Amino acid sequence: MSKPTPISGFPEWTPPQRMIEQYVLERIRRTFEMYGFAPLETRAVEPLEQLLRKGETSKEVYLISRLQEEGAASAGEGSLGLHFDLTVPFARYVLENAGRLQFPFRRYQIQKVWRGERPQEGRYREFLQADIDIVDRDTLPPHHEAEIPLVIGDALGGLPLGNSDGGLPLDRPAITIQVNNRKILEGFYRGVGLADPLAALRAVDRLDRIGPDRVAALLAETAGATEAQAKACLALTEIATSDPSFADAVRGLGVTDPMLDEGLAELVAVMENAGAHAPGLCVADLRIARGLDYYTGTVYETQLRGYERFGSISSGGRYDNLASDANVRFPGVGISIGVTRLLGLLFGAEALSISRSVPTCVLVALAAEERRPESNRIADALRRRGIPTEVSPSAAKFGKQIRYAERRGIPYVWFPGADGVGDEVKDIRSGDQVAAAPDVWQPPVADLWPTVG
């Protein structure tokens, strides 16, 4: 077999990187559950018409087809695509299972998603997302929109994320959550007289990628904006504050509209809540738009400090009509952490490390192959007490077995005594060696499992 050719955009982490990923996922999962979110997993595929119903994603969806199709496709299987996010399948799940759910329904979901975009640093075709959403029947109080940033702040704030300047203290957020409200944008665009606020919103969403001059041209081309209207729209994007004073700055532009007023009130509530519970976490940034059409209220984007040039690592917002049918509406609010994106940036900058390359804490040495059952019994006794242990793969000289442990970062080597007595364990980092019994000995807590830093 010839050497395989890597496929770009489908990351495969090394075992140490995978252990770091599991550590991060466990922290995220635990935080989500602390806030009362219950776990959910949905299927990987959705009907293509459902995936394409909201937003401009048609070029990103991967289609599913059989290599050899025999006969007509089964009902519902003729046009399936891999989900490109977890919000669309979650909305479908709510509609299908509404009669069995208790509202407001709080769920978290950690799954792979697929997106056919051009791979680059921090952007992948297959990646892991961690989502939370809160949905309710008919109405969803806006205070839920103020809660979402606090969850993300707790989930990521305690991680040793560091930054490109050498790291941050763990009591200081390593992230900044930029918040805005689509009602502010749409209301402002209506207030300046634009006939197509959604087209204007999509144009402004490209501001970071193409710059203000090209956005102004796009506003004229797609939203029919005059030079004065485009100038007003860009003036709105320049407002950013870490407190509720952004509202006064918006009013100072002299534009009025009922939807604008509603959006300002909702965003003020978000900023006041964030300031009371997590000072420095949120910034009201009125250039944040989020391009997907289903967002209707507060929107979020999250910057990892020191990596802002790569864009958001966590984003989401309020949606009122995504989960709805002819009879009932299920408005919701949610946010997604791009776990693979976050880790890919940090791995690329060598900003995360782990104390050893395997989970193993103790290597039980093997004096002779015929004594393997004895070494296995010691390993079993240590494992029963929660100590990750493996037995040496061969009965080589002890020095060689110690070097094997060193290469893998295993901190302790256990030397079995004769006839079950006289066992000793050695800390191969310090050279200290002491008598030990497998039903009593305990390593320091810091050595029990690999630590991430």
Side-chain angles (χ1 to χ4, degrees):
M1 179 179 177
S2 60
K3 185 177 180 180
T5 302
I7 303 176
S8 62
F10 295 83
E12 295 178 320
W13 306 136
T14 64
Q17 290 172 331
R18 175 61 175 154
M19 286 193 291
I20 292 172
E21 181 185 55
Q22 289 178 319
Y23 168 85
V24 170
L25 290 174
E26 175 59 20
R27 166 78 191 209
I28 292 171
R29 182 198 64 79
R30 188 166 62 249
T31 303
F32 288 171
E33 294 187 353
M34 287 292 290
Y35 277 83
F37 293 88
L40 180 68
E41 182 168 326
T42 57
R43 64 198 185 203
V45 299
E46 297 291 336
L48 185 59
E49 62 179 14
Q50 181 69 19
L51 292 173
L52 300 183
R53 191 165 63 90
K54 299 290 184 179
E56 299 176 337
T57 56
S58 60
K59 295 181 180 180
E60 298 181 356
V61 175
Y62 280 109
L63 297 178
I64 297 294
S65 63
R66 294 175 57 187
L67 181 62
Q68 295 179 340
E69 189 71 48
E70 297 179 4
S74 301
E77 294 185 0
S79 53
L80 298 177
L82 292 171
H83 56 225
F84 58 84
D85 71 1
L86 299 178
T87 304
V88 171
F90 173 62
R92 186 266 311 160
Y93 179 89
V94 170
L95 287 174
E96 288 184 3
N97 297 277
R100 297 185 291 170
L101 301 177
Q102 296 296 319
F103 294 97
F105 179 44
R106 304 164 69 92
R107 83 84 172 87
Y108 75 86
Q109 201 166 335
I110 302 175
Q111 279 184 247
K112 290 282 185 72
V113 301
W114 296 267
R115 199 169 291 178
E117 59 182 353
R118 183 173 63 86
Q120 54 188 296
E121 188 173 13
R123 290 194 176 275
Y124 305 95
R125 293 170 173 170
E126 178 184 70
F127 52 97
L128 193 65
Q129 287 191 178
D131 281 28
I132 52 171
D133 282 86
I134 306 170
V135 297
D136 210 340
R137 187 187 295 269
D138 297 324
T139 61
L140 180 74
H143 67 78
H144 292 296
E145 297 172 49
E147 179 185 10
I148 293 295
L150 304 182
V151 183
I152 298 304
D154 281 357
L156 299 180
L159 293 171
L161 298 179
N163 64 18
S164 60
D165 296 324
L168 292 166
L170 293 186
D171 60 352
R172 178 186 173 191
I175 60 172
T176 299
I177 301 179
Q178 301 162 299
V179 293
N180 196 3
N181 193 297
R182 291 277 286 256
K183 295 176 184 177
I184 295 175
L185 300 177
E186 292 189 36
F188 188 90
Y189 302 153
R190 294 180 192 277
V192 298
L194 292 181
D196 192 346
L198 289 180
L201 193 148
R202 294 189 197 105
V204 171
D205 187 49
R206 301 179 64 184
L207 181 61
D208 286 342
R209 297 189 291 275
I210 65 176
D213 291 341
R214 292 180 63 188
V215 166
L218 199 58
L219 284 167
E221 177 185 344
T222 63
T226 65
E227 183 178 348
Q229 288 170 328
K231 184 177 179 180
C233 293
L234 289 171
L236 183 68
T237 67
E238 296 175 0
I239 297 173
T241 69
S242 57
D243 55 40
S245 64
F246 69 90
D248 292 332
V250 174
R251 294 187 183 101
L253 296 177
V255 176
T256 60
D257 183 86
M259 182 180 286
L260 173 61
D261 293 338
E262 186 177 343
L264 288 173
E266 291 176 2
L267 189 55
V268 164
V270 171
M271 291 300 297
E272 288 178 343
N273 190 56
H277 295 278
L281 177 64
C282 290
V283 171
D285 191 334
L286 302 195
R287 63 182 172 163
I288 302 304
R290 304 292 299 138
L292 293 174
D293 289 349
Y294 54 67
Y295 292 121
T296 57
T298 304
V299 288
Y300 318 94
E301 290 195 356
T302 307
Q303 303 292 329
L304 179 62
R305 292 181 181 169
Y307 298 83
E308 291 86 352
R309 66 189 183 278
F310 295 107
S312 178
I313 59 166
S314 174
S315 56
R318 167 77 180 242
Y319 48 89
D320 285 320
N321 304 308
L322 184 61
S324 62
D325 58 24
N327 301 314
V328 66
R329 230 179 27 147
F330 298 96
V333 62
I335 195 168
S336 173
I337 301 173
V339 178
T340 305
R341 177 173 174 77
L342 168 65
L343 292 177
L345 295 175
L346 294 172
F347 289 157
E350 299 183 351
L352 282 179
S353 61
I354 194 163
S355 58
R356 55 184 186 260
S357 64
V358 294
T360 310
C361 176
V362 178
L363 176 73
V364 180
L366 193 61
E369 189 57 43
E370 57 269 23
R371 293 185 62 182
R372 184 173 291 276
E374 177 186 350
S375 293
N376 286 340
R377 284 193 294 272
I378 293 170
D380 287 343
L382 292 169
R383 292 183 194 120
R384 283 194 296 270
R385 297 179 48 245
I387 303 172
T389 306
E390 62 179 274
V391 176
S392 180
S394 62
K397 293 181 179 180
F398 281 163
K400 186 174 181 179
Q401 295 184 57
I402 290 173
R403 287 192 293 274
Y404 172 81
E406 285 177 333
R407 287 195 301 272
R408 308 179 74 211
I410 301 172
Y412 296 96
V413 175
W414 192 285
F415 299 103
D419 301 322
V421 296
D423 288 10
E424 292 187 341
V425 64
K426 181 173 185 173
D427 182 336
I428 63 173
R429 299 161 300 181
S430 66
D432 295 340
Q433 186 165 323
V434 297
D439 58 348
V440 175
W441 180 82
Q442 186 72 28
V445 173
D447 290 336
L448 187 59
W449 294 99
T451 56
V452 176

